[in-house]
């Protein structure tokens, strides 16, 4: 399995200690903060500022917001992480990207979405800084931490067999990123993840493995519900490939339909004493 420092990437590993390292194509991450961090950060956010952040996110086409805590051991292992509390964002991958076959043009569309997502994250980060809250931006195209896993910790969804985050609203059809790390302590942190059933569904499914033209996902080597991911084979980061998204039942049929189908199967298996 790929180590944690490269699980956001679909190509060759990048240097662990390079804050500006990227993993996808020739996309360059730039520092877009316009506001300096406050010297003494506030630790609690008021309801008006919180509502403003949610409204800003919606106006910037951010679909889902979650709140998670980075585990203590991860903070100790990664000295680049400044704060352990995180605001996590997702942005929908549009049909113009999904419907475009792998190509340089498809990758350019992906890069434009990443650019839009990154800029949106910095806008929200600057607003927080203006209001006295310290922030550290984890750009969606930057190798700072495992963003899909962070989104799972925030209860937003579950990382499926394809290593993509699956959420109720968007299935696997989203970019995860725009995480803002902050010392704010009174965020609405998720106490449980109600989407864990996805793990069991993914173990039985495997359609993402079958549709991948590059054999990126290895069925024979499993870690929990996920297949081994061969980064060097994946063309998602240099040709904008989305076949694993298109083949996923959560994309084709929707979260609710898949959940209903899963529950019926589970009920039958329990009835036959196979669970």
């Amino acid at each position: 399995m790929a180590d944690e420092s490269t699980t956001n990437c679909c190509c060759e590993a990048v240097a662990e200690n390079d804050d500006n390292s990227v993993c996808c194509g020739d996309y360059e991450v730039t520092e877009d903060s316009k506001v300096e961090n406050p010297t003494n950060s506030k630790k609690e956010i008021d309801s008006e500022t919180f509502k403003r952040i949610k409204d800003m996110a919606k106006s910037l086409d951010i679909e889902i917001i979650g709140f998670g805590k980075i585990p203590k051991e991860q903070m100790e292992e990664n000295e680049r992480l400044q704060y352990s509390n995180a605001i996590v964002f997702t942005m929908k991958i549009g049909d113009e990207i999904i419907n475009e076959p792998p190509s340089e043009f498809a990758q350019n569309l992906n890069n434009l979405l990443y650019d839009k997502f990154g800029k949106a994250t910095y806008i929200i980060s600057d607003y927080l800084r203006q209001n006295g809250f310290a922030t550290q931006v984890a750009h969606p195209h930057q190798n700072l931490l495992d963003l899909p896993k962070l989104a799972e910790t925030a209860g937003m969804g579950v990382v499926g067999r394809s290593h993509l985050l699956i959420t109720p609203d968007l299935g696997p059809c989203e970019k995860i990123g725009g995480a803002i790390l902050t010392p704010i302590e009174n965020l609405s942190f998720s106490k449980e993840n109600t989407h864990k059933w996805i793990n069991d569904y993914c173990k039985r499914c495997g359609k993402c493995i079958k549709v991948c033209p590059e054999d990126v996902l290895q069925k024979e080597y499993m870690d929990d519900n996920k297949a081994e991911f061969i980064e060097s084979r994946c063309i998602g980061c240099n040709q904008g490939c989305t076949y694993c998204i298109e083949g996923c039942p959560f994309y084709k049929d929707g979260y609710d339909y898949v959940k209903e189908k899963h529950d019926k199967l589970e009920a039958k298996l329990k009835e036959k004493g196979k669970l």
Side-chain angles (χ1 to χ4, degrees), residues 118-242:
K119 283 181 168 58
T121 306
Y122 277 108
I123 288 172
I124 297 172
S125 171
D126 280 347
Y127 179 78
L128 283 166
R129 290 183 177 188
Q130 285 173 346
N131 285 271
F133 301 99
T135 66
Q136 178 186 17
V137 171
H139 191 283
H141 223 126
Q142 188 178 22
N143 185 48
L144 182 63
L145 75 167
D146 188 339
L147 292 171
K149 190 65 178 177
L150 180 59
E152 183 174 300
T153 301
M156 300 165 72
V158 164
V159 180
R161 201 172 195 180
S162 59
H163 293 251
L164 298 172
L165 180 72
I166 296 170
T167 66
D169 293 335
L170 299 174
C173 192
E174 63 213 324
K175 299 290 187 187
I176 311 98
I180 296 175
L181 310 187
T182 176
I184 300 173
E185 297 174 349
N186 65 329
L187 297 171
S188 303
F189 298 110
S190 176
K191 295 181 180 178
E192 63 175 336
N193 191 322
T194 59
H195 314 294
K196 289 291 188 181
W197 64 271
I198 293 174
N199 287 326
D200 293 328
Y201 183 86
C202 282
K203 287 176 185 177
R204 300 190 186 109
C205 180
K207 289 185 179 178
C208 56
I209 297 173
K210 296 174 184 176
V211 299
C212 179
E214 303 296 327
D215 251 356
V216 171
L217 300 164
Q218 300 294 295
K219 183 178 180 180
E220 293 79 9
Y221 302 96
M222 299 288 290
D223 177 12
D224 193 15
N225 67 309
K226 291 177 279 297
E228 183 181 7
F229 184 80
I230 309 299
E231 292 176 337
S232 59
R233 294 181 183 175
C234 184
I235 59 174
C237 286
N238 51 42
Q239 296 184 43
C241 180
T242 58

Side-chain angles (χ1 to χ4, degrees), residues 42-59:
K42 296 178 183 177
K43 298 295 179 65
E44 293 197 358
I45 191 168
D46 59 275
S47 58
E48 184 177 341
T49 305
F50 183 73
K51 182 181 183 302
R52 177 61 179 149
I53 289 170
K54 293 182 73 173
D55 290 343
M56 288 176 67
K58 185 177 181 180
S59 71

Side-chain angles (χ1 to χ4, degrees), residues 7-122:
T7 49
N8 293 324
C9 308
C10 301
C11 51
E12 294 182 5
V14 294
E16 281 189 42
N17 297 317
D18 182 2
D19 273 331
N20 295 315
S21 60
V22 294
C23 58
C24 296
D26 56 0
Y27 188 97
E28 182 180 353
V29 175
T30 57
E31 169 60 55
D32 285 337
S33 294
K34 304 293 191 299
V35 180
E36 293 292 329
N37 255 330
T39 305
N40 296 307
S41 176
K42 296 178 183 177
K43 298 295 179 65
E44 293 197 358
I45 191 168
D46 59 275
S47 58
E48 184 177 341
T49 305
F50 183 73
K51 182 181 183 302
R52 177 61 179 149
I53 289 170
K54 293 182 73 173
D55 290 343
M56 288 176 67
K58 185 177 181 180
S59 71
L60 293 165
D61 293 332
I62 288 171
E63 296 282 341
I64 310 172
I65 302 178
F67 308 96
K69 282 184 172 289
I70 299 172
K72 184 179 178 180
E73 57 272 18
Q74 188 176 351
M75 291 295 297
E76 292 173 349
E77 291 171 2
N78 190 345
E79 61 184 16
R80 292 181 294 157
L81 302 177
Q82 297 175 22
Y83 313 108
S84 61
N85 301 329
I87 305 171
V88 191
F89 307 114
T90 73
M91 185 174 282
K92 183 178 180 180
I93 301 174
D95 290 339
E96 71 279 4
I97 294 177
I98 297 296
N99 294 333
E100 186 68 29
S103 64
E104 183 179 352
F105 178 65
Q107 184 55 36
N108 287 337
L109 291 177
N110 265 279
N111 287 343
L112 286 173
L113 181 60
Y114 273 124
D115 187 54
K116 177 181 179 180
F117 204 167
K119 283 181 168 58
T121 306
Y122 277 108

